[in-house]
Amino acid sequence: MGKTQLIDLMKLFFLLLLSTISCLAQQPLVLEIQGTTASKGKVFIRIQDEKEDILKEGAFPSEKGVTPIKWTIPKRSKIAIWAFQDLNQNGELDKNALGIPTEPWGISGGKRPSLRPPLLREMWVDPAQQPIAISIR
């Protein structure tokens, strides 16, 4: 085996090792978005970690009543989840003149503050405790 072939083989081994490690650093996530009002529009999800980094964002077809979501995310001990249903399908959470959302929205951790945006520390959940239910209204 020549030197070039050996280097190519080592590169291949290194890439396989990296892909295996990245798979090990992932965890499944099952969400139940409760209170979806219609089978129209999409449910948008954002997941953040304790450093406020966005781990994952996405949009899913909405189902009436409960929209189940299955995902794989980077392994973390706690996460915060934002969800909203885009009823008018414009790709963003609509708000009124006072900045109050006019489309159904919810957060992990249960309790939505009424007069201010939620703080991440109020939204922490353990991703190992599944399914994670988020009520939107």
Side-chain angles (χ1 to χ4, degrees):
M1 183 179 284
K3 187 175 182 178
T4 305
Q5 290 174 324
L6 183 60
I7 290 173
D8 288 342
L9 189 60
M10 289 174 62
K11 286 179 185 176
L12 179 62
F13 175 76
F14 184 70
L15 287 173
L16 287 171
L17 181 64
L18 279 179
S19 67
T20 303
I21 289 171
S22 75
C23 287
L24 293 175
Q26 299 286 308
Q27 66 188 36
L29 181 67
V30 178
L31 303 175
E32 290 180 352
I33 310 303
Q34 303 171 343
T36 44
T37 58
S39 296
K40 68 176 187 174
K42 293 187 176 190
V43 174
F44 284 77
I45 304 292
R46 174 183 285 171
I47 301 174
Q48 292 179 267
D49 66 9
E50 54 273 357
K51 296 177 186 174
E52 299 187 21
D53 292 332
I54 297 172
L55 298 178
K56 205 158 193 177
E57 289 182 303
F60 300 86
S62 117
E63 298 179 20
K64 187 170 175 69
V66 176
T67 299
I69 296 170
K70 293 182 181 180
W71 242 356
T72 301
I73 62 168
K75 194 165 186 69
R76 297 291 190 275
S77 60
K78 62 183 177 178
I79 57 174
I81 306 167
W82 303 79
F84 78 91
Q85 185 177 7
D86 184 18
L87 295 175
N88 63 0
Q89 302 178 39
N90 67 351
E92 54 188 57
L93 177 62
D94 293 332
K95 299 174 184 174
N96 66 18
L98 298 174
I100 298 169
T102 58
E103 293 179 303
W105 67 280
I107 57 172
S108 55
K111 203 170 192 178
R112 287 181 359 169
S114 56
L115 298 175
R116 62 172 172 76
L119 303 172
L120 278 181
R121 69 173 180 258
E122 299 169 327
M123 299 168 49
W124 296 134
V125 292
D126 179 356
Q129 304 296 314
Q130 297 189 36
I132 298 172
I134 299 174
S135 177
I136 64 172
R137 50 182 159 69

